[in-house]
Amino acid sequence: MRETLAAIRPLDEEAMAAARARHDRLTKPAGSLGMLEDLSIRLAGLAGACPPPLPTPAAVAVFAGDHGVHAQRVSPWPQEVTVQMVANYLAGGAVINAFAREIGADVHVVDVGVAAEIDAAPGLISAKVRPGTADLAVEPAMTLDEARAAIETGIRIAGQLIDGGAKILVAGDMGIANTTPAAALIAAFTGRDAGEVTGRGTGIDDYTFNLKISVVRSALRRLPADADALRVLAEVGGLEHAAIAGFMLGAAAHRVPLILDGVNTVAGALAAAALHPGVTAALVAGHRSVEPGATAGLAHLGLEPLIDLGMRLGEGTGAVLALPIVSAAVRVLHDVATFDSAGVTEK
Amino acid sequence: MRETLAAIRPLDEEAMAAARARHDRLTKPAGSLGMLEDLSIRLAGLAGACPPPLPTPAAVAVFAGDHGVHAQRVSPWPQEVTVQMVANYLAGGAVINAFAREIGADVHVVDVGVAAEIDAAPGLISAKVRPGTADLAVEPAMTLDEARAAIETGIRIAGQLIDGGAKILVAGDMGIANTTPAAALIAAFTGRDAGEVTGRGTGIDDYTFNLKISVVRSALRRLPADADALRVLAEVGGLEHAAIAGFMLGAAAHRVPLILDGVNTVAGALAAAALHPGVTAALVAGHRSVEPGATAGLAHLGLEPLIDLGMRLGEGTGAVLALPIVSAAVRVLHDVATFDSAGVTEK
């Protein structure tokens, strides 16, 4: 982890200036591509090159874990749905598989903490730190060593996927009850009240919603005001959130962009940014989830999402939909003719 | 045109009910795909089948025309940029070409009214009704017969592209000064004031902006209150707007979806909807352009855009970025496993 944090560098100003200058020469009114221009300039700064590499191929990693806090009945779904959905991903039957096939991306499933044995299978990365967290409502979700091990797992997987050729990473999550630790992490890292950042996850009734807020609020009371990121993750987080944080740090250290999905990946991003603020240079907000914590977290990170379709599924589904937009933004700097080269008169 | 209008049918309720029922059985929390669920249900209704066909391949048609109102200096760009950009599209050097390559769509350029001779070339559809409109600031932009001919052109091209295998159409535009007739059309069809729906197009100063509003407002005064859609198009429209309206009517008659781009295609859609309100069933709002008229027009049509990235380029660029989202929405109904088939427990 120490080496990874030390490898994260600021954006390359020279490459960004070159991208800005290039945009002004391309056959389109200046600024007419809006957010796509800003994004392509930032990706030039991340890569330290103009144009930056086309973000293809893309690798999606769905980090899966279980949560002791499920015992508090914060979710209407049985815990075994986590492992059942892992099997669904590996069989190619989930929404993330359909989207990734449509968009063109590989899906990897990372067992960083599922509370069941999972047989080896193509597409599965077995990296279980422990079989589900402890119940954060009554005790720390994991030890500091376990949180660190989950972060290291995410870093390692980012490196493996990038060594395997991935030019962009997409983060996803699966874990019944995981929007409870996500809300706790977002409250802790943004300083907002639990009531502001807790959402209804997969869809819960008012009774469960109020219970969920109470669980988050009382768990947060155990955290000292000066708790560092590792302590916050260990006390109120999930194994997938810690691994996702590491995944982001690994991407940033390799100067490879990573697309965030919904509230669980935003929680991971806040943890990553608490470990090294420079990580946000590599992060692209894929979409705006309907979970209020996602919006609060993105605002804290200073990231504006590319799409906003009222989605709340997770798995990386919102992130992968943003991938063609990111690719298109980069391709403009590669392919579009200049006023001079195309013989187009300027105003 | 009469046959096309007669062929437009309402959405198939049975197919929509089947799509709704299917969504509830798929391995995801009910409603968790937000707008994508609504979109896929509507496309099932349009096709009269669940699942509806995957929208591949896609055909983009960029309708190009010139505008007599350019003489009023409503745009800082020289008129010859229209024909220069047509050459740029045909050479593959514009942003729409870069995006279409990235997303996977063919680009066709339709000369429906460019004020210059254009040599035949692969990708060019020569269908010039007249070489640019008359100046709408002082006289009708075209005759009723010319407006009708441009509509018929759009209908014919939709049919040709669909006969050629296109499963979804994407509408784009090119025409220096064309946001002036677009604003006039939007004001006429929505009943809003010129000041509310006129924008800065490619980027104009305050003086030009106020001039543009005056031009639009005074042209609208010539329209009788009971002017029909053809009369509105002829008086204050553009050849590309009329052709785009026909293109949409053709798509709807064939029950093929069509993605709208920015303010010029929205103006065409309003004309099409005035000719037959049923056309909106086939229309998907690709993006929200920064032009105020686009938002006003989409609201009038009852369409919610899929993306909103601060773009204002035209050419079909915002529409084509929405294509993977539309495809992904449809693919869910094809590919995703049900709770039963995947052995996933329900809540």
Side-chain angles (χ1 to χ4, degrees), chain B residues 314-331:
Chain B
E315 306 182 345
T317 51
V320 85
L321 287 185
L323 189 54
I325 296 174
V326 177
S327 299
V330 173
R331 193 177 271 272

Side-chain angles (χ1 to χ4, degrees), chain B residues 74-87:
Chain B
V74 288
S75 169
W77 297 81
Q79 187 171 67
E80 65 259 30
V81 169
T82 303
V83 67
Q84 290 169 348
M85 284 301 294
V86 165

Side-chain angles (χ1 to χ4, degrees), chain A residues 45-73:
Chain A
L46 180 67
C50 175
L54 287 167
T56 309
V60 181
V62 183
F63 291 86
D66 276 308
H67 300 272
V69 74
H70 184 270
Q72 302 293 328
R73 305 181 182 227

